[in-house]
Amino acid sequence: MTRSQLGRKEETSAAPELDMADRAVFGFSWVLVMAVGLMPIVETSLRRSPSISMPVVIAFFVAVASGLALRRRYSWLGFVLHITGRVAIWLSIFCMSLAAVLFVSG
């Protein structure tokens, strides 16, 4: 194979880049997951006890909806990893903000 044929082969095997709409969906899901992860801090400032039931539902549906919106860019494994990653990110932010609230409140 010549060098130009190798270059073409590499170009065709590379995954297509995200366009602006996909990047917006991806970024918006990050913002939502982070906002839902910080809900214990907001609930404490509103003088309510932090709950976990509603943030779990919101984080799960945000992860699934963003995965479905980006489905044409992911394989099935990528789709599952996207959802798992979003839930793991939410859970880590949620646990850290809940720990901060519990530490501050004594």
Side-chain angles (χ1 to χ4, degrees), residues 1-12:
M1 266 192 217
T2 64
R3 187 173 180 95
S4 63
Q5 290 173 335
L6 286 174
R8 279 190 226 134
K9 186 175 181 180
E10 289 174 6
E11 289 175 358
T12 58

mmCIF file of all heavy atoms in Angstrom, residues 1-12:
data_model
loop_
_atom_site.group_PDB
_atom_site.id
_atom_site.type_symbol
_atom_site.label_atom_id
_atom_site.label_comp_id
_atom_site.label_asym_id
_atom_site.label_seq_id
_atom_site.Cartn_x
_atom_site.Cartn_y
_atom_site.Cartn_z
ATOM 1 N N MET A 1 0.837 -1.194 0.000
ATOM 2 C CA MET A 1 0.000 0.000 0.000
ATOM 3 C C MET A 1 0.875 1.248 0.000
ATOM 4 O O MET A 1 1.886 1.284 0.688
ATOM 5 C CB MET A 1 -0.866 0.036 1.259
ATOM 6 C CG MET A 1 -2.207 -0.533 1.090
ATOM 7 S SD MET A 1 -3.185 -0.086 2.514
ATOM 8 C CE MET A 1 -4.095 -1.578 2.674
ATOM 9 N N THR A 2 0.414 2.208 -0.721
ATOM 10 C CA THR A 2 1.156 3.464 -0.755
ATOM 11 C C THR A 2 0.758 4.325 0.439
ATOM 12 O O THR A 2 -0.216 4.051 1.141
ATOM 13 C CB THR A 2 0.870 4.234 -2.055
ATOM 14 O OG1 THR A 2 -0.496 4.594 -2.064
ATOM 15 C CG2 THR A 2 1.222 3.412 -3.274
ATOM 16 N N ARG A 3 1.506 5.349 0.630
ATOM 17 C CA ARG A 3 1.256 6.248 1.769
ATOM 18 C C ARG A 3 -0.106 6.929 1.656
ATOM 19 O O ARG A 3 -0.811 7.092 2.654
ATOM 20 C CB ARG A 3 2.378 7.286 1.833
ATOM 21 C CG ARG A 3 2.334 8.150 3.042
ATOM 22 C CD ARG A 3 3.590 9.026 3.067
ATOM 23 N NE ARG A 3 3.600 9.869 4.199
ATOM 24 C CZ ARG A 3 4.209 9.599 5.347
ATOM 25 N NH1 ARG A 3 4.853 8.484 5.489
ATOM 26 N NH2 ARG A 3 4.169 10.448 6.345
ATOM 27 N N SER A 4 -0.532 7.310 0.472
ATOM 28 C CA SER A 4 -1.830 7.970 0.307
ATOM 29 C C SER A 4 -2.976 7.005 0.569
ATOM 30 O O SER A 4 -4.016 7.393 1.085
ATOM 31 C CB SER A 4 -1.948 8.572 -1.089
ATOM 32 O OG SER A 4 -1.902 7.547 -2.069
ATOM 33 N N GLN A 5 -2.809 5.727 0.238
ATOM 34 C CA GLN A 5 -3.844 4.743 0.525
ATOM 35 C C GLN A 5 -3.973 4.514 2.024
ATOM 36 O O GLN A 5 -5.061 4.335 2.544
ATOM 37 C CB GLN A 5 -3.543 3.430 -0.186
ATOM 38 C CG GLN A 5 -3.711 3.492 -1.678
ATOM 39 C CD GLN A 5 -3.240 2.220 -2.346
ATOM 40 O OE1 GLN A 5 -2.395 1.514 -1.804
ATOM 41 N NE2 GLN A 5 -3.789 1.940 -3.522
ATOM 42 N N LEU A 6 -2.858 4.497 2.736
ATOM 43 C CA LEU A 6 -2.903 4.349 4.187
ATOM 44 C C LEU A 6 -3.605 5.532 4.833
ATOM 45 O O LEU A 6 -4.375 5.380 5.767
ATOM 46 C CB LEU A 6 -1.488 4.211 4.763
ATOM 47 C CG LEU A 6 -0.795 2.878 4.532
ATOM 48 C CD1 LEU A 6 0.642 2.952 5.019
ATOM 49 C CD2 LEU A 6 -1.543 1.766 5.224
ATOM 50 N N GLY A 7 -3.341 6.736 4.342
ATOM 51 C CA GLY A 7 -3.982 7.929 4.880
ATOM 52 C C GLY A 7 -5.484 7.892 4.679
ATOM 53 O O GLY A 7 -6.258 8.270 5.544
ATOM 54 N N ARG A 8 -5.921 7.425 3.518
ATOM 55 C CA ARG A 8 -7.359 7.318 3.260
ATOM 56 C C ARG A 8 -8.004 6.269 4.146
ATOM 57 O O ARG A 8 -9.106 6.443 4.622
ATOM 58 C CB ARG A 8 -7.607 6.987 1.790
ATOM 59 C CG ARG A 8 -7.527 8.185 0.917
ATOM 60 C CD ARG A 8 -8.017 7.857 -0.468
ATOM 61 N NE ARG A 8 -7.045 8.414 -1.383
ATOM 62 C CZ ARG A 8 -6.535 7.806 -2.422
ATOM 63 N NH1 ARG A 8 -6.918 6.589 -2.733
ATOM 64 N NH2 ARG A 8 -5.659 8.399 -3.178
ATOM 65 N N LYS A 9 -7.299 5.186 4.367
ATOM 66 C CA LYS A 9 -7.846 4.121 5.220
ATOM 67 C C LYS A 9 -8.020 4.623 6.650
ATOM 68 O O LYS A 9 -9.009 4.347 7.305
ATOM 69 C CB LYS A 9 -6.942 2.898 5.192
ATOM 70 C CG LYS A 9 -7.514 1.726 5.933
ATOM 71 C CD LYS A 9 -6.654 0.504 5.797
ATOM 72 C CE LYS A 9 -7.288 -0.655 6.541
ATOM 73 N NZ LYS A 9 -6.491 -1.857 6.425
ATOM 74 N N GLU A 10 -7.042 5.384 7.145
ATOM 75 C CA GLU A 10 -7.155 5.934 8.499
ATOM 76 C C GLU A 10 -8.288 6.933 8.591
ATOM 77 O O GLU A 10 -8.975 7.010 9.593
ATOM 78 C CB GLU A 10 -5.831 6.590 8.900
ATOM 79 C CG GLU A 10 -4.716 5.606 9.157
ATOM 80 C CD GLU A 10 -3.397 6.295 9.402
ATOM 81 O OE1 GLU A 10 -3.373 7.539 9.481
ATOM 82 O OE2 GLU A 10 -2.388 5.594 9.502
ATOM 83 N N GLU A 11 -8.501 7.727 7.555
ATOM 84 C CA GLU A 11 -9.568 8.717 7.577
ATOM 85 C C GLU A 11 -10.941 8.058 7.598
ATOM 86 O O GLU A 11 -11.844 8.529 8.263
ATOM 87 C CB GLU A 11 -9.467 9.633 6.359
ATOM 88 C CG GLU A 11 -8.306 10.582 6.411
ATOM 89 C CD GLU A 11 -8.174 11.387 5.125
ATOM 90 O OE1 GLU A 11 -8.963 11.172 4.203
ATOM 91 O OE2 GLU A 11 -7.265 12.228 5.076
ATOM 92 N N THR A 12 -11.107 6.958 6.890
ATOM 93 C CA THR A 12 -12.419 6.308 6.849
ATOM 94 C C THR A 12 -12.711 5.542 8.131
ATOM 95 O O THR A 12 -13.862 5.367 8.487
ATOM 96 C CB THR A 12 -12.520 5.351 5.646
ATOM 97 O OG1 THR A 12 -11.477 4.368 5.741
ATOM 98 C CG2 THR A 12 -12.411 6.110 4.343
#
